[in-house]
Amino acid sequence: MCRVVDLQQAVLAKNDACAHTLREDLAARGTAVVNLLSSPGSGKTALLERELTLAHSRGIPVAALTADLATENDAVRLARSGVPVKQVLTDGLCHLEAEMLGGHLHGWLPADTRLLFIENVGNLVCPASYDLGETLRIVLASVTEGEDKPLKYPTAFGLAHLVVVTKTDIAEAVSFDEKEFRANVERINPGVEVVLTSARGGEGDGLLLDRALAARDGAPVHIPVMTRKSHHVHDAEDGQPHDVGHTHDDEGHTHHGEHAHAARAQDRGHAHTTDSDTVASSRS
């Protein structure tokens, strides 16, 4: 068991080091990363498409990278916004990692990009443990998923800089209790902002874009309690501050074999990419 835990910690430590370098490199060129996490079917792609379209209409240079186990469906949808889009196929890997992300950005990301939106693999367990060099981590939950979602996935919600509720146009139909949801978020991540959105109804249009631009331009970003605790531990160990300070002690995250697969997948180059030009041509 100790060897398995050691392997997991080694993989995560390597990822943190890569994320640190990636964050510094992107910051030097004026690019901020927004990492979007959610369960499958939360409405993440629909909301992101609206935000990208709005950014394009305002002349704000943004780009998006979307990750899935299979299909290029999300990239096709996001490319309709008119901004640069890249699809990463993970071949079964349940999350993105910083080294993988950096490899796909090399030679593709336009030099003037102010914001890079990452649509992570639909999963609230594995992606929560992996820093991608992001400036802003946003966790989304739809009104159909239940008010207890933050309690079930404390690491994902506990490390969020912003929590977004989606599909609010059907909140009444599914008896969504906003007050209870907010209370549960507050229990896990005190002080984090919770915003309401509807890609269909238009509620919250531009909120993600505005928050991301503000963070990119140096506005204070919420620091989760979980992050502060992790910072305290790291500082005591090595006397050095850490960028994000993710804690890796998440909710029953025991499928260590997949983390080993993560390292092997990087070595073998398992992830496949499809640029937005290819995606756009596939629609014609």
Side-chain angles (χ1 to χ4, degrees):
M1 175 61 73
C2 290
R3 293 182 62 188
V4 173
V5 172
D6 288 345
L7 174 60
Q8 181 189 23
Q9 293 302 320
V11 170
L12 293 171
K14 178 184 177 183
N15 182 82
D16 286 349
C18 290
H20 175 82
T21 300
L22 184 60
R23 182 179 289 105
E24 288 190 334
D25 290 347
L26 290 172
R29 57 184 285 174
T31 302
V33 175
V34 182
N35 186 8
L36 303 177
L37 282 72
S38 79
S39 300
S42 67
K44 181 167 69 263
T45 305
L47 183 62
L48 181 55
E49 183 183 352
R50 290 181 71 95
E51 298 297 300
L52 295 177
T53 300
L54 181 59
H56 185 63
S57 69
R58 292 182 181 177
I60 301 169
V62 303
L65 182 147
T66 181
D68 274 306
L69 276 66
T71 83
E72 298 173 358
N73 295 347
D74 287 354
V76 168
R77 292 175 61 184
L78 296 180
R80 296 186 301 213
S81 66
V83 309
V85 173
K86 190 166 194 175
Q87 176 79 60
V88 174
L89 301 181
T90 66
D91 284 352
L93 190 61
C94 58
H95 58 276
L96 283 175
E97 298 181 11
E99 185 177 13
M100 182 192 304
L101 174 61
H104 291 304
L105 297 183
H106 182 70
W108 169 75
L109 188 67
D112 64 344
T113 303
R114 292 178 64 189
L115 294 174
L116 171 64
F117 288 90
I118 304 295
E119 184 180 13
N120 219 314
V121 179
N123 182 349
L124 283 177
V125 182
C126 309
S129 295
Y130 286 83
D131 180 8
L132 297 182
E134 65 257 26
T135 301
L136 198 63
R137 173 177 287 208
I138 300 177
V139 176
L140 302 89
S142 71
V143 298
T144 61
E145 295 178 65
E147 296 81 1
D148 62 347
K149 203 75 169 183
L151 305 182
K152 289 183 175 180
Y153 299 94
T155 299
F157 284 88
L159 289 173
H161 301 121
L162 177 68
V163 174
V164 174
V165 179
T166 62
K167 304 184 183 182
T168 56
D169 53 299
I170 60 171
E172 184 176 354
V174 299
S175 301
F176 176 70
D177 189 331
E178 180 187 339
K179 183 177 180 180
E180 182 181 349
F181 180 84
R182 288 180 178 274
N184 289 335
V185 171
E186 184 69 14
R187 286 177 58 186
I188 299 299
N189 192 347
V192 70
E193 183 183 12
V194 178
V195 299
L196 307 180
T197 65
S198 168
R200 179 176 294 179
E203 183 177 7
D205 272 6
L207 274 174
L208 269 66
L209 181 60
D210 291 343
R211 298 296 190 278
L213 286 171
R216 183 262 183 194
D217 293 337
V221 173
H222 169 71
I223 302 177
V225 171
M226 190 177 292
T227 299
R228 292 197 292 268
K229 289 179 179 178
S230 185
H231 271 154
H232 177 73
V233 171
H234 285 306
D235 291 346
E237 290 176 350
D238 57 23
Q240 298 295 324
H242 289 242
D243 295 312
V244 179
H246 293 318
T247 176
H248 302 311
D249 183 19
D250 56 6
E251 54 277 349
H253 197 63
T254 57
H255 52 296
H256 307 292
E258 294 192 11
H259 291 303
H261 171 66
R264 294 195 299 270
Q266 289 179 7
D267 294 337
R268 293 197 300 264
H270 269 193
H272 303 297
T273 60
T274 302
D275 291 334
S276 55
D277 292 341
T278 304
V279 170
S281 66
S282 71
R283 299 199 310 272
S284 59

